[in-house]
Amino acid sequence: MPRKLLLLPPLSVSSTFRALRARPAAFPTMNAARTGYRVFSANSTAACTELAKRITERLGAELGKSVVYQETNGETRVEIKESVRGQDIFIIQTIPRDVNTAVMELLIMAYALKTACARNIIGVIPYFPYSKQSKMRKRGSIVCKLLASMLAKAGLTHIITMDLHQKEIQGFFSFPVDNLRASPFLLQYIQEEIPNYRNAVIVAKSPDAAKRAQSYAERLRLGLAVIHGEAQCTELDMDDGRHSPPMVKNATVHPGLELPLMMAKEKPPITVVGDVGGRIAIIVDDIIDDVESFVAAAEILKERGAYKIYVMATHGILSADAPRLIEESSIDEVVVTNTVPHEVQKLQCPKIKTVDISLILSEAIRRIHNGESMAYLFRNITVDD
């Protein structure tokens, strides 16, 4: 029989997840052979299996026996070392710096489990790769849609992910997708770890991030500021379409066809909409990868009078020289979750802090396996979170 859902009184989102953490009974020890499920890690490196180990510890289960390695010619090989016939299989894949290898590991493991007659194959992919390539750019392609099709072909029947870069990505899949949110954990961090957070203001580093920032500000009952414009023309101009399509010399025009000329985009000088003087500035976003834009935003906020600056994001990819740039910048602290391995970056920059989200992932696994509703994990969560 399905486990009875323990209902809690209506509290704030952060209080709900405090309650989940406080009741270990929510994660009963589940005998894999009896309940028919297994949890595998699609990567054998220590950094990538850390999250998988945290999840299995909360579930009271053992990590499935498998071997994932690269042959001398660069090919990926996966070997499943135990029977999975007729069972629900959860594949946990965190995405390290070598994104393409991680994708191949996931695809090959899913296909191996499919051919081994697993009943359901659920991918637990906290950070979904290629999520920034979810829109058509000039003569490019929507790579995220291609990856969704590949995962379905490999045998996946369900995906658990967190804070997709564009929520419309869920429509690329032919099977269910549970897009969990990290905002309750980040909100809890603000309330418990940032001294005098009542004197803070939530900042969106661009108008695109304004909805997310507004959601944080409304939940914390804080003010909102938005950084708008840019200091100078950058390479990102090509990405937002202001120079698309490119100018073509001696273009042939059909006689009598005179289309109205579209004016080129031009962003105004950088400005801060909102008061940050004498306040703590908390910049929120979903991904922090190349940190130049965050460093520039911090400098502007310092000039406007903010005396302490935090950056909070779900996915801390922190590529290239990100740790060094953060360490040398006006940013006081960068808070990210452990959806992506970043232990090396933390050693290089003590300003980087980690929030553990294995709690919600393990609860999602338990509910899916037991056939319980996922609505409890989305309590008080809106589309903008």
Side-chain angles (χ1 to χ4, degrees), residues 136-194:
M136 180 65 74
R137 300 292 187 189
K138 298 181 183 177
R139 297 181 182 89
S141 60
I142 305 177
V143 183
C144 194
K145 167 63 175 172
L146 171 63
L147 181 55
S149 301
M150 292 167 65
L151 291 173
K153 191 69 175 177
L156 286 178
T157 59
H158 196 140
I159 277 183
I160 302 170
T161 187
M162 180 164 283
D163 283 334
L164 287 169
H165 186 58
Q166 299 289 340
K167 296 175 179 64
E168 295 80 2
I169 291 174
Q170 296 177 78
F172 294 163
F173 295 87
S174 57
F175 50 76
V177 176
D178 286 309
N179 182 27
L180 304 176
R181 306 294 197 274
S183 54
F185 298 93
L186 297 176
L187 289 167
Q188 183 177 342
Y189 185 94
I190 293 173
Q191 293 173 314
E192 297 180 355
E193 303 296 334
I194 297 182

Side-chain angles (χ1 to χ4, degrees), residues 314-330:
T314 303
H315 310 296
I317 301 174
L318 303 169
S319 299
D321 292 331
R324 179 183 60 80
L325 294 174
I326 292 171
E327 186 66 25
E328 297 172 356
S329 72
S330 302

Side-chain angles (χ1 to χ4, degrees), residues 227-228 269-279 297-307:
I227 298 176
H228 180 51
I270 194 165
T271 57
V272 179
V273 181
D275 181 21
V276 297
R279 313 282 287 278
E299 294 295 335
I300 294 295
L301 294 171
K302 278 287 187 183
E303 293 175 4
R304 299 298 192 275
Y307 71 90

Side-chain angles (χ1 to χ4, degrees), residues 56 317 363 370 378:
T56 51
I317 301 174
E363 177 68 359
N370 290 337
F378 293 92

Side-chain angles (χ1 to χ4, degrees), residues 87-380:
Q87 299 187 35
D88 292 335
I89 305 300
F90 296 86
I91 308 174
I92 300 172
Q93 178 65 311
T94 52
I95 306 299
R97 295 195 176 200
D98 191 351
V99 178
N100 295 329
T101 298
V103 169
M104 285 305 301
E105 290 170 344
L106 179 60
L107 291 170
I108 295 172
M109 176 167 278
Y111 189 67
L113 293 164
K114 177 183 177 181
T115 55
C117 298
R119 182 176 63 178
N120 294 305
I121 304 172
I122 300 96
V124 183
I125 315 170
Y127 169 65
F128 194 80
Y130 289 98
S131 58
K132 286 189 174 182
Q133 298 189 49
S134 59
K135 295 181 180 179
M136 180 65 74
R137 300 292 187 189
K138 298 181 183 177
R139 297 181 182 89
S141 60
I142 305 177
V143 183
C144 194
K145 167 63 175 172
L146 171 63
L147 181 55
S149 301
M150 292 167 65
L151 291 173
K153 191 69 175 177
L156 286 178
T157 59
H158 196 140
I159 277 183
I160 302 170
T161 187
M162 180 164 283
D163 283 334
L164 287 169
H165 186 58
Q166 299 289 340
K167 296 175 179 64
E168 295 80 2
I169 291 174
Q170 296 177 78
F172 294 163
F173 295 87
S174 57
F175 50 76
V177 176
D178 286 309
N179 182 27
L180 304 176
R181 306 294 197 274
S183 54
F185 298 93
L186 297 176
L187 289 167
Q188 183 177 342
Y189 185 94
I190 293 173
Q191 293 173 314
E192 297 180 355
E193 303 296 334
I194 297 182
N196 195 24
Y197 82 91
R198 291 292 183 187
N199 188 39
V201 58
I202 305 298
V203 179
K205 71 177 181 67
S206 68
D208 293 338
K211 285 187 176 181
R212 182 185 299 271
Q214 181 181 358
S215 176
Y216 276 66
E218 290 175 351
R219 293 184 186 283
L220 295 169
R221 313 296 191 267
L222 299 177
L224 175 67
V226 180
I227 298 176
H228 180 51
E230 61 185 359
Q232 59 184 2
C233 190
T234 67
E235 292 180 1
L236 293 178
D237 298 346
M238 299 299 292
D239 293 336
D240 68 12
R242 73 180 70 180
H243 299 307
S244 177
M247 296 297 293
V248 179
K249 295 182 179 180
N250 301 323
T252 303
V253 180
H254 191 279
L257 182 63
E258 296 183 3
L259 297 177
L261 180 64
M262 178 66 73
M263 296 181 63
K265 289 183 180 180
E266 183 175 348
K267 289 186 179 180
I270 194 165
T271 57
V272 179
V273 181
D275 181 21
V276 297
R279 313 282 287 278
I280 300 171
I282 304 175
I283 305 172
V284 297
D285 212 335
D286 63 329
I287 299 174
I288 177 168
D289 188 0
D290 297 324
V291 299
E292 285 86 355
S293 59
F294 291 93
V295 171
E299 294 295 335
I300 294 295
L301 294 171
K302 278 287 187 183
E303 293 175 4
R304 299 298 192 275
Y307 71 90
K308 204 163 188 179
I309 299 171
Y310 291 81
V311 174
M312 310 199 77
T314 303
H315 310 296
I317 301 174
L318 303 169
S319 299
D321 292 331
R324 179 183 60 80
L325 294 174
I326 292 171
E327 186 66 25
E328 297 172 356
S329 72
S330 302
I331 298 172
D332 293 283
E333 195 169 285
V334 174
V335 183
V336 294
T337 72
N338 55 345
T339 56
V340 177
H342 54 266
E343 293 304 317
V344 174
Q345 291 90 327
K346 287 180 69 175
L347 293 175
Q348 297 171 347
C349 178
K351 291 182 179 180
I352 301 172
K353 308 297 180 183
T354 306
V355 175
D356 181 27
I357 44 82
S358 63
L359 173 73
I360 191 172
L361 293 175
S362 55
E363 177 68 359
I365 290 173
R366 187 189 70 80
R367 287 174 176 272
I368 289 173
H369 173 65
N370 290 337
E372 299 178 21
S373 171
M374 296 287 284
Y376 183 77
L377 303 182
F378 293 92
R379 286 186 65 193
N380 302 324

